[in-house]
């Protein structure tokens, strides 16, 4: 591992919480696509499969920021375990309903309850921010590393989820996903020394972190970005099935994530110049352009190449977004602010997956590649129109270069 990556792990405990976060984030790439694959295996209906994935994403969008707001106030250990427990029980109920042929409404009810899934990525990044807040270079590398971890999840997760659903039994993918969630949350919350201290009610400014105009721009752009991801996932599975190689969809999606993973590793070794807002704008524009080649897709190898190239712009854009969130929201709302970006992605995934499912049922997988291309265009428009809002608020600029004081650290150990 090169020196910037060695440096971020010099603090004791960093390897442990990052590893726990990796395990706990596997459902991010496994649960939604596992539900789509499971339902397509059991019912053959991509419409309801996409609808369930959309419901899961919307439920996470509604409940995820509330879970993170509670984490900011009460600490990770007190909140994450019960939240993850609800998700595990809800997915278990979903699998029982699918196995017993229960009515469709029961499936949607279980999926809605699973929206309490905590954002482990935000929790881990909050820990990195506490440790390396005084060093922008190390924080950039840490965010890059976590973006790479996200992409490794997206490389490994779909292969496991789709592969188990198609080779073993239909419910295997979602089942393994919640087992990963439970293990990751238990391991992460057991590590108290690196847990950010909670911020009591009196330390919070009124209202949500989403009151930040800059954060609103990021979330809106990420809604469109999430629609790209959701539509690509569902359309790739359907296209692979049309080609007679449904199991190969996991490999194609893994190649997409591999492009982002490679870009994230290299980006972490760089010291980016210019403002984060400008880098964000360039990253979103690159994502927009990268969605044009899939419109011309003719076979799975071509699709894999196109998605690999498209993936190269993802991780740098995500890393830059986390840096912007850290600049745009108060420290006491950092976990919530980071979760709002995930929420934007979740809403977009819901819309993209659902719309792609409808287009696939009506016109086939080839036509559905227009969905991510249209979403990419909307993301570019949102980023350009909101560009001027992405500057830090004057009252926050002075707090970004300073670490937690000793009182904060003592409170973190006492929590």
């Amino acid at each position: 591992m090169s020196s910037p990556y060695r440096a971020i792990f010099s603090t004791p405990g960093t390897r442990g919480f990052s590893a726990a976060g990796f395990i706990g984030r596997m459902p991010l790439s496994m649960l939604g696509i596992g539900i789509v694959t499971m339902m397509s295996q059991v019912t053959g209906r991509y419409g309801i499969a996409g609808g369930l994935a959309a419901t899961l994403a919307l439920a996470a969008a509604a409940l995820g920021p509330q879970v993170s707001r509670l984490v900011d106030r009460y600490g990770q250990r007190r909140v994450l375990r019960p939240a993850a427990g609800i998700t595990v029980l809800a997915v278990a109920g979903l699998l029982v309903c699918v196995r017993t042929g229960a009515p469709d409404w029961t499936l949607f009810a279980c999926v809605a309850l699973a929206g309490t899934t905590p954002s482990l990525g935000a929790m881990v990044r909050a820990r990195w921010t506490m440790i390396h807040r005084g060093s922008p270079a190390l924080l950039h590398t840490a965010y890059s590393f976590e973006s790479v971890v996200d992409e490794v999840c997206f490389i490994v997760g779909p292969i496991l989820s789709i592969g188990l659903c198609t080779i073993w039994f239909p419910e295997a993918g979602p089942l393994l996903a919640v087992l990963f969630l439970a293990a990751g949350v238990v391991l992460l919350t057991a590590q108290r020394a690196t847990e950010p201290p909670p911020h009591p009610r009196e330390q919070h400014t009124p209202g949500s972190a989403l009151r930040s105009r800059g954060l609103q721009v990021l979330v809106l752009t990420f809604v469109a970005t999430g629609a790209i991801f959701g539509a690509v996932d569902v359309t790739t599975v359907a296209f692979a099935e049309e080609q007679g190689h449904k199991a190969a969809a996991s490999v194609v999606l893994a190649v997409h994530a591999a492009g982002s993973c490679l870009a994230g590793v290299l980006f972490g070794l760089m010291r980016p110049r210019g403002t984060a807002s400008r880098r964000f704008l360039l990253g979103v524009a690159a994502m927009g352009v990268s969605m044009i080649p899939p419109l011309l897709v003719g076979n799975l190898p071509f699709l894999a190449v196109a998605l690999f190239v498209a993936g190269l712009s993802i991780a740098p854009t995500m890393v830059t977004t986390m840096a912007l969130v850290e600049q745009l929201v108060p420290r006491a709302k950092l976990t919530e602010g980071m979760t709002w970006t995930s929420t934007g992605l979740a809403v977009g995934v819901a819309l993209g997956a659902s719309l792609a499912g409808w287009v696939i049922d009506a016109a086939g997988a080839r036509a559905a590649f227009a969905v991510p291309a249209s979403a990419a265009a909307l993301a570019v428009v949102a980023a350009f129109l909101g560009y001027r809002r992405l500057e830090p608020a004057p009252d926050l600029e002075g707090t970004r270069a300073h670490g937690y004081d000793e009182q904060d650290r003592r409170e973190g150990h006492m929590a």
Side-chain angles (χ1 to χ4, degrees):
M1 190 179 294
S2 58
S3 57
Y5 289 104
R6 285 200 305 268
I8 64 173
F9 286 106
S10 61
T11 302
T14 51
R15 295 177 187 271
F17 75 68
S18 186
F22 168 68
I23 295 170
R25 266 179 287 182
M26 290 299 290
L28 184 67
S29 63
M30 293 182 65
L31 191 53
I33 196 66
I35 290 173
V36 169
T37 309
M38 174 181 67
M39 294 307 298
S40 67
Q41 289 283 100
V42 174
T43 70
R45 297 158 60 195
Y46 277 96
I48 191 172
L52 286 171
T55 301
L56 175 66
L58 289 174
L63 299 175
Q66 311 313 316
V67 172
S68 292
R69 184 180 298 179
L70 292 173
V71 167
D72 281 329
R73 185 168 297 174
Y74 299 109
Q76 294 185 3
R77 182 182 180 89
R78 291 180 61 184
V79 176
L80 296 186
R81 291 188 176 185
I86 294 173
T87 297
V88 171
L89 292 175
V91 173
L94 171 67
L95 302 187
V96 171
C97 289
V98 170
R99 174 63 65 173
T100 59
D104 288 349
W105 69 265
T106 62
L107 309 182
F108 283 95
C110 291
V111 165
L113 285 175
T116 58
T117 305
S119 176
L120 269 291
M123 306 304 156
V124 171
R125 287 179 173 91
R127 294 188 183 221
W128 282 120
T129 303
M130 183 186 74
I131 293 170
H132 293 309
R133 185 185 293 274
S135 175
L138 290 179
L139 193 56
H140 165 76
T141 302
Y143 286 161
S144 297
F145 178 80
E146 291 304 324
S147 182
V148 170
V149 173
D150 285 339
E151 298 311 326
V152 171
C153 289
F154 277 97
I155 292 172
V156 177
I159 294 175
L160 286 175
S161 194
I162 297 175
L164 290 176
C165 286
T166 55
I167 297 173
W168 197 7
F169 59 92
E171 299 88 355
L175 175 61
L176 184 59
V178 292
L179 292 177
F180 276 129
L181 175 65
V185 166
V186 169
L187 292 172
L188 181 67
T189 54
Q191 302 176 53
R192 306 298 303 279
T194 55
E195 179 179 348
H199 297 271
R201 182 185 298 271
E202 58 268 17
Q203 295 183 15
H204 286 252
T205 55
S208 167
L210 197 56
R211 294 180 66 180
S212 164
R213 298 177 69 196
L215 185 60
Q216 292 169 9
V217 173
L218 297 180
V219 172
L220 182 60
T221 305
F222 267 41
V223 170
T225 303
I228 299 173
F229 300 158
V232 165
D233 283 353
V234 175
T235 305
T236 298
V237 174
F239 183 76
E241 184 174 25
E242 287 183 359
Q243 297 288 306
H245 303 284
K246 185 175 182 179
S250 60
V251 177
V252 175
L253 292 175
V255 169
H256 186 206
S260 180
C261 184
L262 175 62
V265 170
L266 297 177
F267 194 60
L269 298 174
M270 299 170 57
R271 292 294 172 261
R273 298 178 180 179
T275 63
S277 56
R278 180 170 297 180
R279 294 197 301 272
F280 175 76
L281 191 64
L282 291 174
V284 173
M287 280 197 294
V289 173
S290 72
M291 281 296 105
I292 296 175
L295 291 170
L296 309 175
V297 65
N299 53 56
L300 283 173
F302 181 90
L303 178 61
V305 172
L307 291 183
F308 176 83
V309 174
L312 294 174
S313 61
I314 295 174
T317 306
M318 298 298 181
V319 172
T320 304
T321 300
M322 291 301 107
L324 280 171
V325 173
E326 201 265 337
Q327 294 174 9
L328 292 169
V329 303
R331 185 178 68 184
K333 297 179 181 290
L334 181 60
T335 307
E336 181 194 349
M338 290 183 172
T339 302
W340 273 114
T341 60
S342 300
T343 295
L345 282 174
V347 172
V349 167
L351 296 174
S354 183
L355 182 57
W358 292 334
V359 174
I360 290 166
D361 285 343
R366 288 177 183 269
F369 281 111
V371 177
S374 300
L378 291 175
V380 173
V381 171
F384 270 89
L385 292 179
Y387 172 70
R388 295 186 181 276
R389 296 186 178 187
L390 298 179
E391 295 300 325
D395 59 332
L396 294 179
E397 288 179 343
T399 69
R400 294 300 149 200
H402 302 289
Y404 278 62
D405 59 27
E406 288 305 312
Q407 182 180 356
D408 285 337
R409 294 186 184 277
R410 287 196 298 271
E411 291 174 352
H413 288 294
M414 293 170 61

